[in-house]
Amino acid sequence: MNSKTYLLALALSAVLPLSAQQTPIYQDATKHIEERVEDALSRMTLQEKVAMVHAQSKFSSAGVPRLGIPEVWMTDGPHGIRSEVLWDEWDQAGWTNDSCVAFPALTCLAATWNEEISSLYGKSIGEEALYRGKDVLLGPGVNIYRTPLNGRNFEYMGEDPFLAARMVVPYIHGVQDKGVAACVKHFALNNHEVNRHTTNVIVDDRTLYEIYLPAFKAAVQEGKAWAVMGAYNLYQNQHACHNQRLLNDILKGEWGFDGVVVSDWGGVHNTDQAITNGMDMEFGSWTNGLSNGASNAYDNYYLAMPYLQRIREGKVGTTELDDKVRRILRLCFRTNMSPTRPLGSLCSPEHYEAARRIGEEGIVLLQNRDNLLPIDLDRAKKILVVGENAIKMMTVGGGSSSLKVQREVSPLEGIRNRVAGRAEVVYARGYVGDAGGEYNGVVTGQNLKDNRTPEELIAEAVREAADADYVIFIGGLNKSAGQDCEDTDRKGLGLSYGQDELISALAEANKNLIVVNISGNAVAMPWMDRVPAIVQGWYLGSEAGNSLAAILMGDVNPSGKLPFTFPARLEDVPAHSLGEYTGVRSDTVIDIRYNEGIFVGYRWTDKQKKIRPLFPFGHGLSYTTFAYDKPTLDNRTLTADTDALTLRVKVRNTGTRAGQEVVQLYISDKKSSLPRPIKELKGFRKISLAPGEEQEVVFLINREALSFFDDAKHEWVAEPGRFDAIIAASATDIKGTISFELK
Ligand code: BGC
């Protein structure tokens, strides 16, 4: 206290009564959050409370200016901080200081199988959000990969609930340690995009609890997520954004979620249900007959005037309102009113470094015949790069996750920079996909128009390929409608724009062909046998080209593993062969039955012995080799007195390069009263080994790892009997099995 303030304090203490001098409890950071919440709530008027539970602009909700309680600002999410739009329009606000670092898409993060990398991701994006003044990050997404057609799979973490659960938790901690709330989305059962507003999912409880909920549960109970976003679709004929079972019974009831349920933008459809069924904050809808695009409709939101009116008329009480406001105040005290909130940072060298590392660890080497990769620059004079995705900016497009980046290194640039002077790098377009580059007013500024015919483009690429030492084709999907994009699904598994023909022609022309598939989804690969090296490149964000070049040139040993199965044909995907999916738009609600039940992804391919995926779940090659010893267990029986068995397995790097390996543990229940998958992922560890180095990996196997959800009892059950613990390098590359018994 300087002398001036001291004198002022002294003077005040003489004239003011004691109560007026005291800091109100809600402003007193030494007080418990719950005490502060109650105090703030007790000071608020009805209008102030109602103002808090719905949007006031595209991405913000009202605070209580009279009390100094700030507005809540949200942002997409989940791969970087979205640029600013106008208060009440989707158009760009035109700021010049809202560019960000784009981190790799969440499929890539999941493919790292590295919890530390997930934590780095969360921390980095959290810092960017904080610097940009955001309180809630709309992400991460953990909807399960049910069909490769889903246009938003790239924003999620794959097909396996265990992997998604393990990977989402550190991301949330990373973000929230910065005083920014993670808003985990889209809760729940939003597994495709076409008809996302009109799909009523029919799924049995066992499947719901075993497949579609575990990642959300982990996000809430272990990640302690401060916010969850409701999904657009319906479940039990009720919209997920005001769904009694999902929000009240499960999320807030069974899981004890004390945070805020935010609606997806326009996901609320009914005031009464929104009041009673667990919806806390309504965003983004146009209601009460206002047409899409009418301005400042916020008063007409389901949770705005219609709510206030119902309270005033005595039709509903204020118990639910107080509960909603308590949750929002809690969110404020955790974020924008937190006394320990650190400082953020934007576009820092550390964030670029993080983006590059995440990319490098997530890229998956799918195939590498005759060790074509890494590229040997000592014997390469000419490297030909072909394909639109080598030059196209991928951070713009795809829907709400689209970004305005400070910079994006394209694959071609990354390769050119890395090769610099050592070999000639020639580029041929090969095909024209989507020459545009715009989302919501963010433009890439790239002019990708090319008026040549497909034949001309192929001919040029083939001609250039003839004398090249290596040909790198970079194609795949591109986040345009139907090519990995929100509100659209893909029409099929195949690649568009004649890419298959082009790849086949290149394979004829040059035997050293490397195909890099940029996508967030599995694609068909009819040319697989003719292409020696295939790399899964994901959407890699700002550092895309640098991450990719590091892998192709062998600066970094590939260590990514697939977070989902690459099926050979759509018919091999159970959602399509057994379950229901429709790509036909419907304005009225349609039922979609998840008849395949728990047999999603590798759970299905394991069961259908005849189905061979192109690449299995967990697959990913390396430039070095690893040898696994036989796994051992400290005990062959798990009894009521033992918490867990300890499994140990030694893994050795038998090659000549340092590298990382993901050791996977699957559990197989040999006999069970209910059908169970052949095996299920229950542990994984990513280890780093120098050539010749060996490390022992330790897993604990507890009852939880043996349990299934018994929907008749509505509880998780570990049935006594024999189990196998399987150590593997992918769902089909089994390294060792050891049996034990549960008594
Ligand atoms: C998307 C959400 C997104 C929101 C705000 C919705 O259309 O489904 O994931 O966070 O828009 O942009």
Side-chain angles (χ1 to χ4, degrees):
M1 208 184 274
N2 62 29
S3 57
K4 229 168 161 185
T5 28
Y6 177 73
L7 285 177
L8 186 70
L10 209 65
L12 280 176
S13 67
V15 292
L16 291 177
L18 194 64
S19 61
Q21 290 169 42
Q22 274 169 352
T23 313
I25 292 175
Y26 79 95
Q27 285 184 20
D28 183 351
T30 63
K31 293 281 190 287
H32 192 278
I33 277 196
E34 295 308 315
E35 221 183 313
R36 300 177 71 190
V37 165
E38 290 310 319
D39 183 54
L41 187 75
S42 72
R43 294 167 191 266
M44 289 172 65
T45 66
L46 179 63
Q47 285 87 338
E48 284 168 342
K49 290 179 186 175
V50 172
M52 266 197 155
V53 300
H54 61 88
Q56 60 167 5
S57 77
K58 286 281 176 265
F59 283 101
S60 73
S61 58
V64 191
R66 184 178 62 85
L67 297 177
I69 295 171
E71 298 169 336
V72 176
W73 278 88
M74 318 221 166
T75 178
D76 285 303
H79 306 140
I81 309 308
R82 185 171 173 169
S83 54
E84 304 296 330
V85 295
L86 291 172
W87 183 262
D88 191 29
E89 300 289 339
W90 288 106
D91 299 335
Q92 292 300 300
W95 293 16
T96 51
N97 57 355
D98 59 347
S99 305
C100 67
V101 172
F103 298 93
L106 291 195
T107 34
C108 176
L109 175 62
T112 68
W113 293 57
N114 186 341
E115 289 161 86
E116 278 168 35
I117 287 285
S118 177
S119 161
L120 173 69
Y121 196 127
K123 168 183 176 290
S124 310
I125 196 171
E127 285 169 353
E128 297 245 326
L130 195 50
Y131 191 84
R132 288 271 307 278
K134 306 303 179 191
D135 308 311
V136 181
L137 176 73
L138 303 173
V142 284
N143 294 92
I144 288 293
Y145 191 110
R146 176 175 179 254
T147 159
L149 302 190
N150 179 13
R152 280 188 102 169
N153 277 337
F154 74 97
E155 289 186 61
Y156 303 140
M157 301 216 195
E159 74 185 24
D160 185 71
F162 182 85
L163 177 65
R166 299 294 26 103
M167 292 302 290
V168 76
V169 170
Y171 180 117
I172 297 168
H173 288 162
V175 172
Q176 296 193 162
D177 282 351
K178 299 292 164 191
V180 174
C183 182
V184 184
K185 62 193 192 183
H186 306 89
F187 189 70
L189 299 165
N190 182 178
N191 305 103
H192 55 259
E193 287 294 294
V194 170
N195 301 327
R196 60 179 172 164
H197 299 276
T198 50
T199 292
N200 177 48
V201 174
I202 300 186
V203 62
D204 61 77
D205 263 15
R206 182 163 175 221
T207 306
L208 182 68
Y209 277 78
E210 287 192 19
I211 304 293
Y212 295 98
L213 293 185
F216 286 104
K217 184 180 179 192
V220 167
Q221 293 195 329
E222 295 172 61
K224 306 265 181 248
W226 294 333
V228 164
M229 183 189 286
Y232 279 136
N233 51 279
L234 300 90
Y235 163 67
Q236 295 187 336
N237 286 306
Q238 205 170 51
H239 280 98
C241 280
H242 29 84
N243 190 290
Q244 170 62 28
R245 176 127 205 259
L246 291 175
L247 301 181
N248 280 344
D249 299 347
I250 298 176
L251 179 67
K252 294 180 176 177
E254 291 176 21
W255 301 348
F257 176 64
D258 70 356
V260 176
V261 176
V262 177
S263 78
D264 200 342
W265 267 231
V268 174
H269 300 265
N270 180 307
T271 297
D272 295 311
Q273 288 183 12
I275 293 172
T276 56
N277 293 358
M279 168 48 50
D280 299 317
M281 266 181 146
E282 181 189 4
F283 270 81
S285 55
W286 297 95
T287 56
N288 285 8
L290 284 168
S291 64
N292 191 338
S295 67
N296 281 314
Y298 303 103
D299 279 352
N300 299 293
Y301 273 32
Y302 292 98
L303 285 184
M305 289 308 279
Y307 194 3
L308 196 58
Q309 249 155 23
R310 278 171 175 70
I311 294 173
R312 282 187 173 142
E313 288 163 9
K315 289 187 179 140
V316 294
T318 52
T319 315
E320 295 90 355
L321 180 64
D322 284 347
D323 179 62
K324 295 176 203 302
V325 174
R326 272 192 190 97
R327 289 169 182 275
I328 299 167
L329 287 169
R330 204 174 283 138
L331 180 97
C332 291
F333 288 120
R334 286 166 166 170
T335 59
N336 52 26
M337 291 181 82
S338 160
T340 57
R341 204 181 207 198
L343 297 178
S345 53
L346 188 71
C347 297
S348 66
E350 290 78 12
H351 293 174
Y352 282 108
E353 164 79 11
R356 187 181 51 73
R357 271 190 66 199
I358 299 159
E360 287 170 358
E361 281 217 18
I363 293 171
V364 183
L365 179 61
L366 292 174
Q367 176 159 291
N368 196 20
R369 270 194 239 121
D370 304 323
N371 294 327
L372 178 62
L373 284 172
I375 285 172
D376 180 357
L377 283 180
D378 290 333
R379 69 176 195 88
K381 285 203 190 66
K382 173 178 171 184
I383 298 173
L384 173 68
V385 177
V386 184
E388 186 173 282
N389 286 355
I391 56 170
K392 187 176 169 67
M393 273 183 77
M394 285 294 172
T395 51
V396 175
S400 56
S401 63
S402 182
L403 296 171
K404 175 170 132 189
V405 290
Q406 189 194 42
R407 68 165 196 255
E408 177 177 345
V409 180
S410 73
L412 181 62
E413 256 180 277
I415 291 169
R416 283 218 161 110
N417 292 343
R418 175 60 181 80
V419 169
R422 306 230 4 222
E424 184 194 8
V425 178
V426 176
Y427 176 70
R429 180 66 176 268
Y431 72 94
V432 176
D434 180 355
E438 195 258 335
Y439 180 78
N440 252 175
V442 176
V443 287
T444 63
Q446 289 187 304
N447 180 3
L448 297 181
K449 282 216 177 79
D450 194 318
N451 294 328
R452 287 174 289 173
T453 64
E455 293 72 26
E456 285 169 328
L457 292 169
I458 292 183
E460 180 198 43
V462 165
R463 200 167 53 241
E464 288 290 354
D467 65 344
D469 299 296
Y470 290 94
V471 177
I472 310 172
F473 170 81
I474 305 178
L477 310 177
N478 60 18
K479 291 190 179 173
S480 308
Q483 303 278 330
D484 278 357
C485 181
E486 183 173 338
D487 204 25
T488 68
D489 289 336
R490 297 161 66 205
K491 295 237 157 20
L493 204 53
L495 291 176
S496 307
Y497 320 123
Q499 292 181 78
D500 288 339
E501 292 75 25
L502 172 61
I503 294 170
S504 301
L506 290 172
E508 286 275 294
N510 194 309
K511 61 177 187 0
N512 290 341
L513 175 61
I514 299 144
V515 167
V516 178
N517 178 54
I518 304 292
S519 75
N521 256 318
V523 304
M525 297 185 174
W527 30 259
M528 185 176 144
D529 293 341
R530 285 166 284 141
V531 175
I534 307 176
V535 173
Q536 177 57 33
W538 313 117
Y539 301 110
L540 295 172
S542 287
E543 285 288 292
N546 292 336
S547 301
L548 191 62
I551 293 289
L552 296 176
M553 306 303 155
D555 305 334
V556 172
N557 199 347
S559 63
K561 302 270 183 175
L562 289 179
F564 52 80
T565 308
F566 262 61
R569 310 167 313 158
L570 205 53
E571 304 88 275
D572 295 347
V573 179
H576 294 271
S577 56
L578 273 188
E580 291 180 342
Y581 166 83
T582 172
V584 182
R585 297 245 172 215
S586 166
D587 291 337
T588 52
V589 174
I590 46 167
D591 290 342
I592 295 289
R593 291 180 176 75
Y594 287 15
N595 295 326
E596 70 282 8
I598 57 174
F599 295 100
V600 172
Y602 68 89
R603 287 165 170 79
W604 175 247
T605 30
D606 272 359
K607 187 168 182 250
Q608 299 305 106
K609 303 239 156 29
K610 278 195 229 113
I611 292 181
R612 282 206 46 180
L614 289 188
F615 301 106
F617 172 80
H619 170 76
L621 303 173
S622 162
Y623 297 150
T624 188
T625 46
F626 300 98
Y628 287 64
D629 275 4
K630 280 207 175 81
T632 60
L633 280 173
D634 62 338
N635 198 326
R636 291 303 190 99
T637 29
L638 187 62
T639 62
D641 311 326
T642 15
D643 286 341
L645 299 180
T646 307
L647 182 145
R648 291 168 202 279
V649 59
K650 284 192 184 125
V651 182
R652 209 165 38 261
N653 182 343
T654 50
T656 52
R657 285 166 180 270
Q660 298 195 81
E661 170 71 328
V662 178
V663 183
Q664 303 167 31
L665 166 72
Y666 295 84
I667 297 289
S668 178
D669 188 350
K670 302 322 279 181
K671 205 167 145 235
S672 148
S673 57
L674 290 181
R676 296 202 67 179
I678 304 280
K679 65 177 185 298
E680 291 182 289
L681 184 73
K682 293 296 171 186
F684 60 88
R685 193 98 358 110
K686 193 165 199 175
I687 54 168
S688 189
L689 294 175
E693 197 190 346
E694 181 177 86
Q695 197 179 315
E696 186 177 69
V697 177
V698 181
F699 291 106
L700 293 181
I701 303 173
N702 57 18
R703 271 169 200 79
E704 198 186 322
L706 313 181
S707 304
F708 60 83
F709 189 80
D710 185 333
D711 43 5
K713 291 189 186 145
H714 197 76
E715 62 185 35
W716 289 89
V717 174
E719 252 178 18
R722 205 164 73 76
F723 292 83
D724 281 348
I726 300 167
I727 291 296
S730 83
T732 59
D733 187 4
I734 310 289
K735 302 293 188 186
T737 299
I738 183 162
S739 311
F740 63 92
E741 208 177 325
L742 173 68
K743 282 221 165 116

